[in-house]
Amino acid sequence: MSDNDLTRRTVLRRTAAAGLLATPAMGFLSACVAGGGDGGATDQAEGEKSAENPLGVDPAAPLEVVIFNGGYGEKYATDVHEPLYKTKFPNAQIKHSATQEIATTLQPRFAGGTPPDFVNNSGTKYMDFGTLIQDGQLQDLSELFAAPSVDDPAKKVSDTLVAGTVESGTYNGKPYVLNYVFTVYGLWYSEKLFKEKGWTVPATWADFTALLDKIKAAGMTPYSYAGKNAPYYQYLVILATAAKIGGPDVLKNIDNLADGAWKHPAIKTAATQWAEIGAKYMDKAHEGLIHTEVQLQQNQGKVAIYPSGSWLEAEQSASTPEGFNYAVMPIPSATASDALPATGLYATAGEPYFVSAKGKNPRGGMEYARQMLSKAGAKGFIELNKSLTAVAGAEEGIQLSPGLTSASTVLKAAGANVFSYRFDSWYKELDTELRTATNALMFGRENADQFAERMQKKADAIKADSSITKFTR
Amino acid sequence: MRHGKYPFVIGFLAAPVTIYVVFVIAPYAQAFYMALTNWRGLSPGQFVGLENFTRLFQDEVFWKALRHHGILLLALPLITIIIALFLAFMLNVGGGSQKGMMAGVWGSKFYRVVFFLPQVLAIAILGVLFQSVYRPDGSGMINSLVSKAGLEPIGFLIDPKLALWSIVAVLVWQGVGFYVVLFSAGMSNIPKDIYEAAMLDGATRSSMFFRVTLPLLWDTLQVAWVYLGIAAFDCFAIVQTLTVDQGGPDGSTTVIGMEIYRNAFVYSKYGYASAMGVALFFLTITFAALSLRVSRRESVEM
């Protein structure tokens, strides 16, 4: 009988109120309305420059560090990097915090003019770099990279890094971002499984499809990626193949929004070949799965080859069976006349850190970065996180896991033939479109021509849009 | 004591009105202003007039999302109301007359609880739940049955033709219970003598439904229609948690809420996202006003 409490009349009266609650999506936007932000770089701590203190840090100034608490956790900061800074400047207070939602936590502080000094801007909710740079929020790191390194004062910091690291954080000619973790991308498989079955790593496309046929005959899904939230794992593979066919400039043109960049024949060939792999060797259902679900299937021996980056092994360590032995292969040559050899590899420095230009202690932030880039700083990170860093040779003398050993082997074999693109972080709209287009291509709803057509259209639209900041490399 | 009335009323109203102004009206006003700027989330943006709106009307994705709202706006209220009406009728009147009282089918008290249960679940939990219901491989709840029957698994969320309807199904499943209760309340307000008189005249169940229940329930139906219409303008959470590529495949399930989220938090285009929000606001208000006006009719006096 309690139903009677809800009479028609009370319900009708509430309808009027419902009209005002009608647009639920709007509330969360207003939650982050812009604050003042005078933008002035006043009152910034500065100390005397010396051989010991090349960046001129005020030894007593407090330093605020914010770490993204994701795959790498925060332990490397609290246990390795922060103690290094503290040893150097015992009087400096370090305020440490970690969050899984960088943008949500920090955006209001940047908008309000009180940003933390050093930020690990990572995870799915990272703050847009283009916007931060456009707004003058990031410290130009030229001085840091030109400073003498911690371990060898005769060497500049930039000389101690893996080639391409500084470039990967450079926007329109100025290095604003430090990419600290060095990631190797390729096709991941179980070395143990391949050994048992007598399968070998293919170098040509014909070898590759022959291998996939064999795997299919053995009752496994030969190749897979997760369409629900990780189509970018696969678009990396398609574009890497295009770069192998037509040379790394194919990617450079895409980044620079060059006219007709997506209409390059190499992209069409790569898309055609991968669409065939999708049609013949993939499980349609995987479009609806998320990456950890497909990765788990690989660990369970249901999927043979999975495209990803070198974080995969650490990410999966809990569900990988004993002796699975992750290994990575570069993407096989696509044609007989490829511009790059089969060993060519997509590899780049990732995991971005920056210093706030409008913070209280930008010099301290840069010094903190310099400590991270020391041998001791990198070693601590590698040991804790089982990942390579941008510090050249820092992993020497450390017992590496099978997957990481494999990654470092293919990286050596690639030599100078290492390439990457930047558009995914420069133009998020292009990234979104490519994810959608990749699923459509790989799951047979669109062909290579439509793929290229669609991407070119989006790239042209971005180029024509005056509200989007443009970058070149 | 009449002179003390106003301070008394104001004293009670001050706090809620202040809270309402600060947390509802003020953010709305700010969002309206933001829609006229190119704010990117950091330092205040410049005033750009109606540029965001001109851009919006040329945005394919916006129109696509709008079309999806159109489909939802027709399908969601219609399907939900039909099912809820049927169930409510069965629960309240369907059992015929017992000791001179209209009663529901056997076990209706239990069914009422069962139907209402989905309403209690948070929308995020619903997303997770239906992920496993809809899983496109043999381990999905529905597809394990389908593949046992020897059929190809159904790609509920990966087939662009099916995806939006799969979303509609979830929303209907969740919503029906509330409207069953709402309509039950309405039905219990209908005087029993009318049913008895109808029964004495030899009315069948269906004519009793169409000639007695439905006309006397009109106000409640109207309310349900408006509520469900407003729900059809939202759908953000379920699309965000459930669909491939958030609004996919190929943008076949995207809604304005999803695009607002994407533009604000992925593309950092807060001004543009606000413009979308303002458009959504007016769409919803217009819908509510229109549907109340169009469906207005004389209520039956008793």
Side-chain angles (χ1 to χ4, degrees), chain A residues 355-372:
Chain A
V355 177
S356 303
K358 298 178 181 175
K360 290 217 161 50
N361 191 6
R363 312 223 132 252
M366 287 201 283
E367 176 63 29
Y368 183 89
R370 197 172 78 104
Q371 294 298 329
M372 272 176 88

Side-chain angles (χ1 to χ4, degrees), chain A residues 3 23 32 135 228 429, chain B residues 20 28 39 43 112 245 269:
Chain A
D3 289 350
T23 47
C32 37
D135 204 47
K228 187 169 177 190
E429 283 102 327
Chain B
Y20 189 72
Y28 267 85
W39 189 47
S43 49
R112 208 170 295 206
D245 215 10
K269 289 174 162 180

Side-chain angles (χ1 to χ4, degrees), chain A residues 240-261:
Chain A
T241 305
K244 283 192 160 186
I245 302 170
D249 274 356
V250 173
L251 303 183
K252 197 172 172 180
N253 290 336
I254 289 176
D255 286 350
N256 292 342
L257 299 175
D259 290 322

Side-chain angles (χ1 to χ4, degrees), chain B residues 274-288:
Chain B
S274 299
M276 279 191 175
V278 168
L280 183 59
F281 173 83
F282 281 114
L283 281 173
T284 320
I285 292 285
T286 313
F287 164 78

Side-chain angles (χ1 to χ4, degrees), chain A residues 61 77 157 169 177 184-186 209 343 363 421 423 438-439 443 447 464:
Chain A
V157 169
V177 178
V184 171
Y185 295 80
T209 48
T343 51
R363 312 223 132 252
Y421 49 69
F423 74 88
T438 299
N439 275 347
F443 293 100
N447 62 28

Side-chain angles (χ1 to χ4, degrees), chain B residues 60-84:
Chain B
E60 270 175 49
V61 180
F62 176 73
W63 289 108
K64 204 172 200 176
L66 218 53
R67 264 200 306 282
H68 295 155
H69 282 301
I71 295 172
L72 285 166
L73 209 50
L74 287 177
L76 186 61
L78 208 62
I79 301 173
T80 312
I81 287 177
I82 288 174
I83 299 178

